[in-house]
Each structure stands twice: as C-alpha cells, then as structure tokens.
Amino acid sequence: MPRQFQALPVLESLVENIAHRLDGVMVVATQHLLETTGSLIEALTSLGVAANDIHLIGKRYSTNADVRHRLTASGVHVYENCTPRPWQGFADAFTIDIEQLWRVVQADLANKAIHTLIVLDDGGRCLSHIPPRLKSRIGEVKVVGVEQTTSGLQNGTGHCPLIRVADAAAKKYLESPLVAAAVFDKLRAHLDAGISQNPKFKYGVIGMGSIGKAIADYLDKIGLPFYVYDRNPDLAEIFPANWCHELTTLLSQSDVVFSCTGEDVFQDLKHIEQLQGDRTFISCSSEDREFLSILKRWAWRDAPGFNPLDTIQITLPQSSLTLFRGGFPVNFDGSEESVPAADIQLTRGLLLSAVIQAAANNPRAGLKSPCLMLDPTLQAFVVREWRQFKSYPMPPLLIDQFNDLAWITKNSGGMPDDGNNFTIPLKKFPAGS
C-alpha cells in the first residue's frame, strides 16, 4: 500500500536497523491523531503489525480530521469521541470512549491468533481499563503497557508490565523545550494580534515541571516580564527573581497565565473571585484539567451542538476571564501537527522503541507489574538519529550526554534491563557503544 503519511527519518532508521518483528502483535493505542502519529502507525505495520490489528482512539481536542480519515482508510480501527450532554468534562467523556473501545477489542481479539497485546497509552486511562484475562484463539495473551505521560503514570497503569517512556531521559530532557516553543508559535497564530508581544502584558507560569520551566525559560529568553509559582517552595531557586510565594500573588500581577501543572489548581475559587481586570488563561499541559473548577462553576454548558473547544468568555463582578480553547492545551488546534515533525519525531521514535521493547519483553517470574525502563541503548539510538534532523536548537552538551548509556540509565525511571528481559540488536549501533 502506498505511504499515507510523512516519512520520518528516525522511524525509518529504527525500522531498518531493528532485529525484531511484530507479527502476531495487536496494538491498542490512545494517541493524538496527528500526521506523525500516522507515521508511527505506518512504522508499526512495516514491522509486521497488521493494520486491522491496531485499535486507535484519539482525543477530541487534538484530532486532525484528515489524519483520522487516512488512518481509517488504511484499515486501522479508529474510534470516534463522544460528546455527552451535559458535557462532563474531558475525563468522564473519554472514559466512556475507552470502555467502548475495550468492548470491541475483546470481541476482535477472541477471533484472532494474537500472542501479545501492547497498550500504547497517553494519560493512563486505556491502561487502567484493561479487562482481565484477555484471550485470543491461541489462548491467554501477554499484555504489556507503554505510558508516555507523567500524569498517566500517576493515574494508574493497570496490572501488566509497563515501559515508562514518560520519565525516560530522552523524553524528560529533550521534549519539553520543543513543546514550549510550539506553544508560543500557536499563540502567535491564534491569539489576538500582538498579545504574545504586547509590552504592557505580564505573564504568569504556574507549575515548574519540565513544561513550565521550559516556558519560563522561553519568556526569559525573549525578554517578556513574567512570574512563576509552584506549590513546592524548593523550586524557587530556578527563577528566584520571578518567584511568587502565593498563587494569588501571581494571579494578581499577570495578564496572561500559562498553567502547566497537569492538575486543577483552582479548586479554591476565591483565587478567581477576588481578581480584578481582564485575564487570559492558557493550558499548556493535557486535557481540560488545569481549569476544570472554573469550567464547572461558570462555564458548564448543555446546549445541543456546542463545541467544547471554543474559547470561553466569563464575566465576573470584578473581572473578565478568557479561557483559551475552552481550557484545552493551546498547542493542539486541529492542525496536522502540534510540534514540527522534524522535532517531534524524537517522541515518535521513543514510542516505536517502547513498542518493540514491549513485544520482545519476557517478564521474569515472581515480578508483579514491573515498571521497566525504556532501554538506554534504544534511547541513545533515537537521539543519535534525531540530532541529524531536528530544527529546534538544543545545547550540544546536553545531547552529547546521550552517548553515555550509564548516564541515560541513571536519569531514566523504571527498572533497568539486567539482561534477562530482552535483547534487541541494532545493526549499526551495537549495545554498549
């Protein structure tokens, strides 16, 4: 079948150099349906996964309609997202989607000779809803999970071996600056003219995790005034001159607020009710959880045909609030990619590596639900290939760290390979190089 999606050099190199096939593997995936996700799916099929053995569900706020159409045309099972009334917030609605997906997967699996099922998750919900005792025509199926988000690790990951892409060194240290830059690119394209460079505006960044720190770094780099807040006071040393000891201080001084915590920080609505003047709130994490309490209190809607992704205006006695894109992440806007393909192929390469590792994995007896490290050799290979094609400038000294397998192991989460779980030879990058 002719290629339907963009060729990504990192994925092409992995497919060419990997010494492991994926025949007899079924993949159940929760992913943003973007152009490079299609590239990842094509890489899986080129390694032996049948297109009709891939069950894929996107997220309402990030799906590109053309990508979804091309994936469906290629033979992949692609699931629609529901919009229940009243709108329950993303989490509840998506849980309904996931439960329906698993009902179809169970029926499909029973009729096929599948030996391994890999759950490629983004957010933990697909993993946490795995039905017990999955079986195919050849008997009980080995199930291995792959989780790519920190929130997914926290949400619960079911009862199967899990490969922790979320805290692999290559993802932790290299992906966040790419996302931060993409946030500002999308702001320039979608916010009112001049908002991202208006010298009168001051900016606030809530959450000093990897994304929040990267956004603050970017604000600092381009010379915009900003404040930062995190509930962990030990992080004040990151930006001591910009640090706010209280969330209310940041809110009172910021015109545009980037929330990067991955959780609802506005459960105490007094923080919002006491504001004066105009504020724009922008989510830079996942789903609609950053501003969920605000949505529930002032923007809960039950109108037929409403679009949860519309920018919401809320008028309060002393202030006016703008929730950009309905509180969903700013870098997902319905376009084919949220981050330039040359850069985000790093993440796609790590996910493909994890699927290959999951298929080859043979969990040791006596270990219940081990959390496995994304293989350092695979991480090093992906970074080495990616650095040739990336467009975003990255410190050479940081990238050079990925030549050191011991450093990758030290800085990655999960249980490292001890030689008993899997061995995946790479033709042009032997282990230990």
Side-chain angles (χ1 to χ4, degrees):
M1 178 180 293
R3 178 182 293 278
Q4 297 290 318
F5 296 94
Q6 179 177 354
L8 299 179
V10 172
L11 301 186
E12 301 287 302
S13 188
L14 268 169
V15 170
E16 178 185 347
N17 286 280
I18 212 73
H20 191 85
R21 294 284 298 174
L22 301 179
D23 303 276
V25 170
M26 178 177 285
V27 176
V28 177
T30 299
Q31 291 289 298
H32 301 295
L33 300 189
L34 305 170
E35 178 71 22
T36 57
T37 305
S39 305
L40 173 61
I41 296 300
E42 287 191 328
L44 291 174
T45 58
S46 67
L47 284 170
V49 181
N52 66 358
D53 288 337
I54 299 174
H55 293 260
L56 178 62
I57 188 166
K59 299 188 177 184
R60 182 184 179 90
Y61 60 87
S62 59
T63 293
N64 175 267
D66 182 60
V67 168
R68 179 175 57 199
H69 173 76
R70 281 182 281 153
L71 284 165
T72 302
S74 71
V76 173
H77 299 278
V78 182
Y79 296 78
E80 296 284 341
N81 297 119
C82 70
T83 307
R85 291 186 57 204
W87 176 247
Q88 300 163 283
F90 178 82
D92 291 340
F94 196 57
T95 298
I96 295 171
D97 296 335
I98 293 295
E99 290 171 344
Q100 172 61 22
L101 174 146
W102 277 116
R103 284 192 287 270
V104 178
V105 169
Q106 280 187 288
D108 188 41
L109 188 62
N111 296 314
K112 293 180 175 178
I114 298 295
H115 57 76
T116 301
L117 187 147
I118 297 170
V119 183
L120 179 58
D121 207 355
D122 182 319
R125 289 192 183 83
C126 202
L127 283 161
S128 63
H129 285 80
I130 297 174
R133 295 177 61 86
L134 289 172
K135 293 186 176 183
S136 79
R137 283 197 287 112
I138 60 173
E140 194 159 353
V141 174
K142 179 181 80 171
V143 180
V144 184
V146 174
E147 177 54 58
Q148 69 185 81
T149 68
T150 302
S151 62
L153 296 178
Q154 297 168 347
N155 284 344
T157 50
H159 302 285
C160 64
L162 179 73
I163 298 172
R164 297 172 61 109
V165 174
D167 51 12
K171 189 171 190 295
K172 284 193 300 183
Y173 291 102
L174 299 178
E175 184 191 64
S176 299
L178 310 178
V179 175
V183 165
F184 278 85
D185 286 340
K186 298 295 184 180
L187 281 174
R188 293 188 192 97
H190 296 288
L191 289 179
D192 292 337
I195 190 171
S196 61
Q197 298 188 19
N198 188 327
K200 296 181 180 180
F201 281 179
K202 296 180 180 180
Y203 298 80
V205 183
I206 303 174
M208 282 290 99
S210 54
I211 297 298
K213 182 179 181 301
I215 289 174
D217 282 335
Y218 194 86
L219 289 166
D220 193 37
K221 178 181 177 181
I222 62 178
L224 294 176
F226 69 97
Y227 306 94
V228 298
Y229 167 79
D230 193 286
R231 64 184 179 183
N232 180 0
D234 294 340
L235 299 178
E237 61 186 28
I238 300 175
F239 292 101
N242 309 78
W243 184 262
C244 294
H245 294 282
E246 300 291 339
L247 177 59
T248 51
T249 304
L250 179 142
L251 293 173
S252 68
Q253 299 186 75
S254 304
D255 300 286
V256 179
V257 176
F258 300 97
S259 198
C260 317
T261 65
E263 59 186 38
D264 183 359
V265 296
F266 296 109
Q267 295 182 41
D268 184 353
L269 290 172
K270 289 185 295 184
H271 295 325
I272 301 300
E273 293 169 330
Q274 294 170 357
L275 288 177
Q276 298 183 6
D278 298 339
R279 297 292 187 285
T280 297
F281 290 94
I282 298 168
S283 171
C284 304
S285 63
S286 182
E287 304 179 5
D288 59 356
R289 61 171 68 103
E290 297 286 337
F291 312 119
L292 194 56
S293 290
I294 299 175
L295 289 166
K296 288 182 175 180
R297 175 64 177 82
W298 290 294
W300 209 242
R301 292 172 292 175
D302 188 20
F306 83 90
N307 183 359
L309 302 178
D310 287 342
T311 293
I312 297 171
Q313 303 288 341
I314 299 172
T315 301
L316 301 178
Q318 302 181 86
S319 64
S320 174
L321 311 180
T322 299
L323 269 60
F324 191 64
R325 283 186 56 76
F328 287 98
V330 63
N331 55 312
F332 295 110
D333 60 355
S335 60
E336 290 187 349
E337 204 53 70
S338 62
V339 178
D343 296 327
I344 203 63
Q345 66 173 325
L346 167 77
T347 305
R348 305 297 178 249
L350 296 174
L351 293 176
L352 179 59
S353 299
V355 171
I356 294 164
Q357 178 178 335
N361 175 260
N362 183 20
R364 291 172 293 167
L367 277 178
K368 182 179 181 180
S369 302
C371 286
L372 303 175
M373 179 182 297
L374 179 59
D375 181 40
T377 300
L378 291 173
Q379 291 190 55
F381 180 88
V382 167
V383 174
R384 180 175 292 191
E385 297 299 299
W386 172 75
R387 71 185 302 172
Q388 304 174 60
F389 304 101
K390 66 179 180 62
S391 64
Y392 186 83
M394 201 72 75
L397 288 178
L398 173 59
I399 295 181
D400 288 344
Q401 295 274 33
F402 288 90
N403 294 324
D404 183 349
L405 297 184
W407 182 89
I408 298 173
T409 301
K410 180 180 178 181
N411 287 278
S412 296
M415 184 175 64
D417 173 30
D418 61 4
N420 294 324
N421 286 328
F422 58 87
T423 301
I424 306 173
L426 288 161
K427 297 174 185 176
K428 70 173 184 180
F429 190 67
S433 65

